[in-house]
């Protein structure tokens, strides 16, 4: 890819699109923050998510994203799966609060590297919301460009994704001292769980409204 392609309108559009996803509500962003707050290998977690994002975006511009546009039923099922996943992860987060209260991990906060990476892989590859954003939306939006411009759109989107993954992890690390006490982490988990469930309800309402 040439330097002109990286500075093309398609690349700028992809970057702006990616920036819009930085503040999206979902388990992935919350896990990045949590990894930073608990110092649970935040760089490894961010890198795992980012490499996965590159793979999903590549699949999207490779044709899978465009394929879904010709099958609205699959797109609808994907949105419904997003709502279910968000509700499940929110409930899981709330249920884990009481479990953390009685474990040493609530005090030390650390996960093993394998467990931290495995958790990020789960909320990326098993999360329909990530598939919808990274593969479906990027694939559809880039389809209006030529082949080289399509790659520029993807590159712009992935540049913004790097800011998201490493930015949220660093934000968590910078706030880790303020959230050092277990009670603060439990409160954050409670807020995160409720936000995820609310996001699931809003998405479900939107699906029903459009039906």
């Amino acid at each position: 890819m040439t330097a002109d392609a990286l500075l093309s309108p398609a690349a700028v559009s992809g970057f702006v699109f990616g920036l819009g996803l930085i503040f999206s509500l979902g388990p992935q962003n919350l896990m990045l923050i949590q990894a930073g707050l608990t110092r649970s290998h935040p760089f490894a977690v961010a890198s795992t998510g980012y490499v996965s994002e590159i793979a999903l975006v590549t699949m999207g511009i490779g044709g899978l994203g465009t394929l879904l546009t010709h099958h609205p039923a699959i797109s609808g099922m994907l949105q419904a799966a997003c709502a279910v996943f968000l509700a499940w992860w929110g409930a899981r987060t709330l249920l884990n609060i009481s479990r953390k209260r009685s474990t040493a991990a609530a005090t030390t906060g650390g996960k093993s590297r394998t467990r931290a990476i495995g958790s990020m892989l789960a909320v990326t590859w098993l999360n329909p919301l990530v598939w919808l954003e990274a593969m479906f939306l990027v694939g559809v939006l880039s389809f209006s460009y030529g082949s080289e411009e399509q790659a520029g759109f993807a590159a712009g989107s992935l540049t913004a994704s790097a800011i998201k993954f490493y930015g949220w992890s660093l934000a968590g690390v910078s706030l880790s001292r303020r959230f050092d006490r277990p009670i603060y982490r439990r409160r954050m988990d409670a807020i995160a769980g409720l936000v995820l469930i609310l996001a699931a309800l809003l998405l479900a309402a939107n699906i029903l409204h459009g039906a």
Side-chain angles (χ1 to χ4, degrees):
M1 184 184 301
T2 65
D4 289 340
L6 292 173
L7 298 175
S8 67
V12 173
S13 296
F15 181 74
V16 172
F17 168 77
L19 286 180
L21 299 179
I22 289 179
F23 299 100
S24 63
L25 300 175
Q28 201 178 44
N29 285 354
L30 293 172
M31 181 161 290
L32 290 168
I33 297 172
Q34 186 182 49
L37 286 174
T38 59
R39 301 297 181 96
S40 298
H41 313 284
F43 182 78
V45 169
S47 297
T48 299
Y50 186 53
V51 171
S52 297
E53 184 96 350
I54 293 173
L56 286 167
V57 168
T58 301
M59 291 165 62
I61 65 173
L64 286 179
T66 305
L67 179 64
L68 293 178
T69 63
H70 301 295
H71 297 82
I74 298 179
S75 177
M77 291 173 60
L78 189 59
Q79 292 183 59
C82 290
V84 172
F85 186 87
L86 288 173
W88 173 75
W89 200 271
R92 176 182 180 275
T93 301
L94 294 175
L95 290 173
N96 281 342
I97 295 174
S98 58
R99 297 174 187 172
K100 288 180 181 180
R101 191 188 300 270
S102 60
T103 62
T107 302
T108 60
K111 287 183 180 180
S112 69
R113 182 184 296 271
T114 301
R115 185 182 173 192
I117 291 176
S119 296
M120 175 51 73
L121 287 173
V123 300
T124 299
W125 290 97
L126 301 180
N127 184 356
L129 183 62
V130 175
W131 283 69
L132 186 67
E133 292 178 348
M135 188 180 73
F136 179 61
L137 291 180
V138 172
V140 170
L141 292 175
S142 66
F143 185 67
S144 60
Y145 299 100
S147 58
E148 186 170 350
E149 290 180 314
Q150 213 174 8
F153 185 94
S157 175
L158 289 173
T159 300
S161 291
I163 297 174
K164 178 184 79 170
F165 282 101
Y166 296 103
W168 279 126
S169 293
L170 290 174
V173 171
S174 66
L175 293 172
S176 60
R177 291 185 180 180
R178 297 186 181 183
F179 287 82
D180 191 48
R181 295 175 60 185
I183 188 173
Y184 292 143
R185 293 178 186 168
R186 289 196 295 268
R187 288 175 179 174
M188 181 185 171
D189 285 344
I191 294 173
L194 292 173
V195 167
L196 290 173
I197 292 174
L198 177 60
L201 292 174
L202 291 174
L203 181 57
N206 185 60
I207 294 172
L208 293 174
H209 180 72

